[in-house]
Amino acid sequence: MASSEELKQAVIDTHAAIAKQGDTVRSLKADLKDGKVDRAAVDAAISKLQELKVTLETKTKEYEAAGGKMSAQSKEAFRAQLTGTLERRLFYIPSFKIYGSVAGFYDYGPPGCAIKQNMTQAWRNHFVLEEGMLEVECPAVTPEIVLKASGHVDRFTDFMVRDVKTGECYRADHLLEAALEALLDNVKEPPSPEAAKEARDVLASVGELKQDQLGAALEKYSVVSPDTKNEVSDPFPFNLMFKTSIGPKGDLVGFMRPETAQGIFVNFRDLLYYNGGKLPFAAAQIGNSYRNEIAPRAGLLRVREFTQAEIEHFVNPEDKSHPRFQEVADLEPLLYSRELQMGEEKKPKPMKLGEAVAKGIIGNETLAYFIGRTWLFFKRVGIDLGRMRFRQHLQHEMAHYANDCWDGEVKTSY
């Protein structure tokens, strides 16, 4: 019989295997879109991922039965304990608490305000002042014509369903994903191989389903309201922007801005003039943005009003070099390139930014420079650099206008 320490190590190893297999699934989906693999390879990878999740559940129960305390050390337990402490000490609390609160809104107390102000000022010092950026401050209320031109009015949407009896709203894709995962994870009444394969196919493409396809899948898998078990409505698009009216007549439609970038873009011509008509230059803005999330969750990570600090760096497309690149060329952040994501090991590796540009892994000096500056900012504010990485978007993940794109990712309890 395995010892408690052996069982604990087995749980840790299975967690690592799940993370690696998740990356394998993502890379195979990319290959599928490029026609390099067939659907069967993706199905097999998803099936293996589900098996690992079942194994993790089994190993965790064995460890706890042997006297281990995995549940007390779990991410969920840690989050609940930390959230309770932060709320009791008034770092932040749900807004409008005496009236029952409204999901997705939080108030910062005295220590929370102090930390937020310090973080904001550190960001301004590190980027705006040290880089000589042009800082702007634009209204949060934006006329419809601006967001129509940017595509937000037509495409900034999620599909939503309603509980037919209570009217409670839910993200349709989240409900479908939960139902499919529950079906595939059902050890007591497992689905047939054919049904499991079909469910995995749907799960792999939930984010790409059109409105009618999503509705058909919800009906097929008998998806109901998670709280009441009532039937849900057909899915319908829901724009995530808060709509308002401007002026006393109410005939000028506006929205609370979903991001701060538009204020920079619409002022580009004037900012270019202010900069003497010269490129490159950067503009920055710190301010609140608003998204009417259907189901806010993950504490402060998915809320309806949040502070955003954003930079738009404008560069000559014919010359993407950066005069200060050599200052960061020898930094070695963890880079999770497309090659590493698609390879066998699926682990980020430290690499000098100069080497990454020379090998064509990072598209150009300007992008690599700001990866380096962002890495230095993470270091400056106390992030454990061993728990953060820069992940390159796979080809099918990139926006239509992007040549290259990297996300700074930090491993947290979420």
Side-chain angles (χ1 to χ4, degrees):
M1 184 176 177
S3 67
S4 178
E5 281 304 311
E6 289 172 335
L7 290 169
K8 181 179 180 180
Q9 189 59 48
V11 172
I12 293 171
D13 291 344
T14 308
H15 269 295
I18 288 173
K20 181 177 179 179
Q21 189 63 20
D23 285 344
T24 298
V25 170
R26 184 170 59 211
S27 65
L28 285 172
K29 286 181 181 178
D31 282 341
L32 179 64
K33 292 198 173 186
D34 293 337
K36 296 178 182 178
V37 299
D38 56 21
R39 170 60 69 179
V42 178
D43 291 340
I46 294 174
S47 178
K48 184 176 178 181
L49 180 61
Q50 298 297 338
E51 290 171 4
L52 284 169
K53 289 180 178 179
V54 173
T55 301
L56 176 62
E57 186 178 353
T58 302
K59 296 289 185 186
T60 301
K61 288 179 179 178
E62 289 177 359
Y63 174 59
E64 291 174 349
K69 296 182 178 180
M70 188 63 69
S71 58
Q73 299 168 357
S74 69
K75 293 178 181 179
E76 292 78 8
F78 172 76
R79 286 201 299 265
Q81 185 178 23
L82 182 58
T83 298
T85 300
L86 292 172
E87 289 191 9
R88 285 194 305 274
R89 297 184 181 180
L90 218 62
F91 280 80
Y92 68 91
I93 55 174
S95 300
F96 324 115
K97 197 172 180 181
I98 64 172
Y99 290 99
S101 303
V102 177
F105 294 100
Y106 288 92
D107 295 339
Y108 288 88
C113 283
I115 288 177
K116 184 180 176 185
Q117 183 63 38
N118 287 346
M119 183 72 76
T120 301
Q121 193 56 48
W123 186 89
R124 181 178 277 113
N125 290 341
H126 185 82
F127 288 108
V128 181
L129 300 181
E130 290 182 26
E131 300 283 347
M133 295 179 177
L134 309 180
E135 186 171 7
V136 298
E137 182 176 327
C138 307
V141 177
T142 307
E144 182 182 35
I145 189 172
V146 175
L147 295 165
K148 182 74 174 175
S150 66
H152 285 83
V153 172
D154 297 321
R155 296 193 295 273
F156 200 67
T157 58
D158 282 331
F159 288 116
M160 181 170 74
V161 294
R162 282 197 180 98
D163 184 311
V164 296
K165 292 185 179 179
T166 68
E168 188 70 28
C169 298
Y170 303 93
R171 275 274 297 269
D173 56 341
H174 289 171
L175 292 191
L176 180 57
E177 287 173 346
L180 291 168
E181 289 169 356
L183 174 69
L184 293 167
D185 290 343
N186 192 333
V187 179
K188 293 181 179 179
E189 298 180 17
S192 67
E194 295 78 12
K197 180 182 182 304
E198 186 176 0
R200 285 193 294 270
D201 286 344
V202 177
L203 186 60
S205 60
V206 166
E208 302 163 18
L209 296 179
K210 293 182 172 58
Q211 183 175 351
D212 57 343
Q213 296 172 321
L214 188 56
L218 290 169
E219 183 177 356
K220 178 179 176 64
Y221 291 99
S222 303
V223 175
V224 296
S225 167
D227 300 317
T228 65
K229 307 307 177 187
N230 295 330
E231 292 182 9
V232 294
S233 68
D234 291 332
F236 56 94
F238 174 76
N239 195 294
L240 298 177
M241 293 190 295
F242 286 100
K243 191 173 185 178
T244 187
S245 57
I246 302 171
K249 293 192 294 183
D251 55 351
L252 181 56
V253 176
F255 294 91
M256 303 299 288
R257 63 185 180 193
E259 60 191 26
T260 55
Q262 296 308 316
I264 297 174
F265 291 142
V266 297
N267 286 307
F268 171 76
R269 184 173 59 182
D270 292 320
L271 289 168
L272 180 63
Y273 175 79
Y274 181 87
N275 201 53
K278 297 176 182 178
L279 289 172
F281 75 88
Q285 180 169 194
I286 301 175
N288 280 8
S289 294
Y290 305 83
R291 299 184 184 182
N292 195 12
E293 294 283 355
I294 296 170
R297 64 182 193 280
L300 297 178
L301 296 183
R302 174 166 287 180
V303 291
R304 288 173 167 145
E305 179 178 355
F306 54 95
T307 299
Q308 199 168 19
E310 190 160 16
I311 297 164
E312 299 297 336
H313 181 87
F314 299 99
V315 62
N316 186 333
E318 303 302 320
D319 180 12
K320 296 180 181 178
S321 61
H322 197 285
R324 296 178 58 186
F325 177 64
Q326 290 307 315
E327 296 177 24
V328 303
D330 289 332
L331 297 180
E332 290 188 84
L334 282 172
L335 298 183
Y336 200 21
S337 65
R338 291 191 194 106
E339 183 181 5
L340 291 173
Q341 292 176 64
M342 304 295 281
E344 181 62 31
E345 192 175 1
K346 302 196 183 302
K347 285 185 178 180
K349 293 184 177 180
M351 179 180 288
K352 290 185 177 181
L353 292 173
E355 181 184 352
V357 173
K359 291 183 175 180
I361 295 171
I362 299 177
N364 56 75
E365 283 189 7
T366 294
L367 178 54
Y369 175 75
F370 281 104
I371 288 176
R373 289 290 292 160
T374 302
W375 185 81
L376 288 172
F377 178 72
F378 278 118
K379 181 179 180 181
R380 185 173 187 167
V381 298
I383 297 295
D384 180 353
L385 298 179
R387 297 172 67 86
M388 71 140 313
R389 68 188 185 186
F390 289 92
R391 186 183 76 82
Q392 187 176 29
H393 284 204
L394 299 177
Q395 286 292 349
H396 75 280
E397 294 177 310
M398 288 203 300
H400 66 277
Y401 52 77
N403 298 119
D404 193 8
C405 189
W406 295 72
D407 285 339
E409 298 180 335
V410 179
K411 186 177 183 181
T412 72
S413 63
Y414 283 99

